[in-house]
C-alpha cells in the first residue's frame, strides 16, 4: 500500500509483541499474512526475532515497557543550564518531545 513511497519518502518500522511464546508465534503469523497480502517484504538484515529486550528506534523496549535509552537520559542530564529565553524554550521542547514519546 505504501510501495511507491517506501525508501524515498517513507519508512515503516514494525514491532511485534506478545505476552507468551504461543501468542508471539500467532502474532508473527498475522503480521506476515498482512505483509504478504500487501506484497510487502522485510529486510532480513534488519530483523530480529524472540528478543526479550533491546534498543528499538532509540528506545529501550522490555517485556514490561518502552523507556528512554540510557543515551537519551544522559543527553538530558548533560544539558547545560539555559542562559536565556531561547535556550529555555529549546530545553522545554526537548523534554516535551521525550515525554510524548514515552507516553
Amino acid at each position: 500500500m505504501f510501495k511507491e513511497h517506501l525508501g524515498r519518502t517513507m519508512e515503516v518500522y514494525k514491532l511485534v509483541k506478545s505476552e507468551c511464546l504461543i501468542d508471539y508465534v500467532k502474532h508473527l503469523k498475522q503480521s506476515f499474512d498482512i505483509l504478504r497480502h500487501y506484497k510487502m517484504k522485510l529486510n532480513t538484515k534488519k530483523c530480529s526475532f524472540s528478543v526479550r529486550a533491546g534498543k528499538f528506534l532509540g528506545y529501550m523496549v522490555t517485556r514490561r515497557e518502552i523507556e528512554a535509552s540510557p543515551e537519551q537520559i544522559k543527553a538530558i542530564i548533560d544539558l547545560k543550564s539555559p542562559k536565556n529565553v531561547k535556550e529555555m524554550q529549546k530545553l522545554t521542547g526537548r523534554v516535551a518531545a521525550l515525554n510524548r514519546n514515552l507516553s
Side-chain angles (χ1 to χ4, degrees), residues 6 20 33 44 58 60 73 84-85 89:
L6 290 176
C20 64
D33 289 345
T44 55
M60 293 303 298
I73 294 168
N84 56 44
V85 172
Q89 290 170 334

Side-chain angles (χ1 to χ4, degrees), residues 68-80 98:
S69 70
E71 292 89 10
Q72 289 176 319
I73 294 168
K74 184 175 178 352
I76 288 179
I77 290 171
D78 291 346
L79 282 174
K80 294 178 182 171
L98 181 61

